[in-house]
Amino acid sequence: MREFTIALIGNPNVGKSAIFNELTGANAHVGNWPGVTVEKKEGKFVYNDTKINVVDLPGIYSLTASSIDERIARDYIVREKPDLVVCIVDSTNLVRNLYLFVLLKELGAKTLLVLNMIDLVENKIEFDESKLSESLKTRIVKTSATKKIGIDELKKAIYEEFHKDQGEFFVNYGKDIESSIKRIESLLNSTELSYNKRFLAIKLLEQDSVISEELKRLKKENIVESALLEVNKLEGIYSDLETEIIEKRYALIEGVIKSSTKNLVSIEDRLT
Ligand code: GDP
Ligand code: K
């Protein structure tokens, strides 16, 4: 039987456990991630002629070096290279939730976006699914894990997505930051780190300690130093480079949502 592996990821409380259970039934194995006491849950299901292993990643908001959960997720995706990363979002909180999705794309993951809790936005938000899918370069499935809606569609989409190519996705950080990214990327061409080069360059601009350490171990201090010079240069332009990078990601997300969703009720009504 053919075999693929998918990873489930999402912010806390998006319904990831509920989706995991719907996908895998009673087939869960619970252990720990190597070297830490963070729970690792694995399961599987069979679709047509294919066995699909499901790895549950910790519920997280970002992919920084400073959080153990975030590093577990990032390291797993980079080192184990799952065939597909299924990013589950809460449909009532898209802007916040899509931030992690954008980071996964920057990391170079092949993705499937699950709009969960769709029952809560019925008659409230209308999605232009093909536009959303086109802008985010991902297949999209709408689900309600608790109402068991969309689970078969999700299984089918996972199965079909293994064989598809997804287009290039990237956040445009503006002329100055993009020039710095290009320069750092060209230095990284000589390294054998398994990360996506653009992701590494961006993380170096964000002064990610794990990436700097890994480069130093590979005797590539020169790249870390060059990246620091780029940071200094950019900090002459932007008072807060880290915030600038984060805001560019949110600006992209807000633009995508604005052009591919419609609020069917006023904001006041949505909050009640
Ligand atoms: P996790 O933290 O991402 O694993 O989220 P859980 O699976 O524990 O779900 C968090 C809460 O959301 C629970 O109370 C679930 O019952 C609820 N929930 C999960 N999926 C849905 C859904 O599609 N619709 C609604 N209305 N609630 C959901
Ligand atoms: K939970």
Side-chain angles (χ1 to χ4, degrees):
M1 202 187 283
R2 290 187 309 160
E3 198 169 327
F4 289 99
T5 298
I6 65 169
L8 300 190
I9 199 164
N11 291 5
N13 291 315
V14 296
K16 187 160 59 63
S17 307
I19 295 275
F20 180 93
N21 292 339
E22 288 303 319
L23 287 177
T24 64
N27 282 323
H29 168 81
V30 181
N32 279 331
W33 288 93
V36 288
T37 55
V38 178
E39 184 186 281
K40 181 183 189 186
K41 213 165 55 177
E42 292 172 279
K44 56 178 181 294
F45 65 95
V46 172
Y47 192 92
N48 289 348
D49 54 345
T50 304
K51 179 177 160 190
I52 298 164
N53 299 306
V54 184
V55 176
D56 186 35
L57 295 173
I60 53 176
Y61 294 103
S62 183
L63 293 175
T64 59
S66 53
S67 143
I68 291 178
D69 285 1
E70 294 179 15
R71 278 186 58 192
I72 288 173
R74 182 167 112 175
D75 289 350
Y76 179 82
I77 293 167
V78 170
R79 299 201 177 123
E80 305 300 323
K81 302 199 188 317
D83 298 294
L84 190 65
V85 176
V86 176
C87 180
I88 302 161
V89 297
D90 171 352
S91 302
T92 68
N93 198 358
L94 277 184
V95 174
R96 175 81 190 264
N97 277 227
L98 283 174
Y99 187 78
L100 177 63
F101 176 84
V102 166
L103 297 177
L104 293 168
K105 280 299 200 191
E106 288 195 328
L107 189 57
K110 187 171 191 180
T111 56
L112 194 151
L113 180 64
V114 178
L115 305 181
N116 191 40
M117 307 213 182
I118 204 72
D119 52 300
L120 299 180
V121 296
E122 232 178 352
N123 307 321
K124 293 183 184 153
I125 304 175
E126 193 176 273
F127 297 94
D128 182 338
E129 242 177 284
S130 62
K131 208 171 207 175
L132 193 58
S133 166
E134 171 64 24
S135 320
L136 296 174
K137 305 285 183 234
T138 192
R139 175 115 178 217
I140 294 173
V141 180
K142 295 193 236 169
T143 62
S144 168
T146 44
K147 297 204 162 160
K148 305 188 192 306
I149 295 167
I151 304 302
D152 289 339
E153 288 86 343
L154 174 56
K155 287 183 176 174
K156 179 167 182 278
I158 289 169
Y159 173 81
E160 290 176 352
E161 210 54 24
F162 293 133
H163 310 288
K164 298 223 174 101
D165 274 336
Q166 300 185 332
E168 287 276 313
F169 173 96
F170 63 94
V171 180
N172 184 341
Y173 289 100
K175 183 168 65 65
D176 298 306
I177 296 178
E178 288 295 333
S179 304
S180 290
I181 291 173
K182 297 256 151 47
R183 282 191 291 268
I184 300 170
E185 263 188 288
S186 69
L187 299 174
L188 288 165
N189 280 331
S190 63
T191 63
E192 63 254 46
L193 284 175
S194 48
Y195 295 89
N196 173 308
K197 302 276 183 283
R198 183 174 166 90
F199 177 83
L200 280 178
I202 295 165
K203 284 290 148 205
L204 284 167
L205 290 181
E206 292 179 297
Q207 302 194 57
D208 184 289
S209 60
V210 170
I211 304 292
S212 307
E213 286 312 311
E214 285 193 31
L215 284 169
K216 283 177 189 161
R217 252 191 319 103
L218 293 170
K219 303 263 176 286
K220 299 283 183 187
E221 293 90 344
N222 63 314
I223 300 180
V224 178
E225 281 158 24
S226 302
L228 210 51
L229 290 177
E230 297 292 341
V231 169
N232 290 339
K233 210 177 332 175
L234 290 171
E235 280 177 344
I237 302 169
Y238 305 103
S239 56
D240 186 343
L241 178 59
E242 226 182 312
T243 303
E244 179 65 24
I245 290 174
I246 292 171
E247 280 176 357
K248 280 286 191 296
R249 291 177 186 137
Y250 275 114
L252 178 140
I253 294 167
E254 278 163 6
V256 167
I257 290 181
K258 204 165 180 188
S259 68
S260 56
T261 67
K262 206 163 84 185
N263 286 322
L264 302 177
V265 291
S266 68
I267 288 173
E268 293 73 30
D269 289 345
R270 264 189 297 150
L271 294 175
T272 57

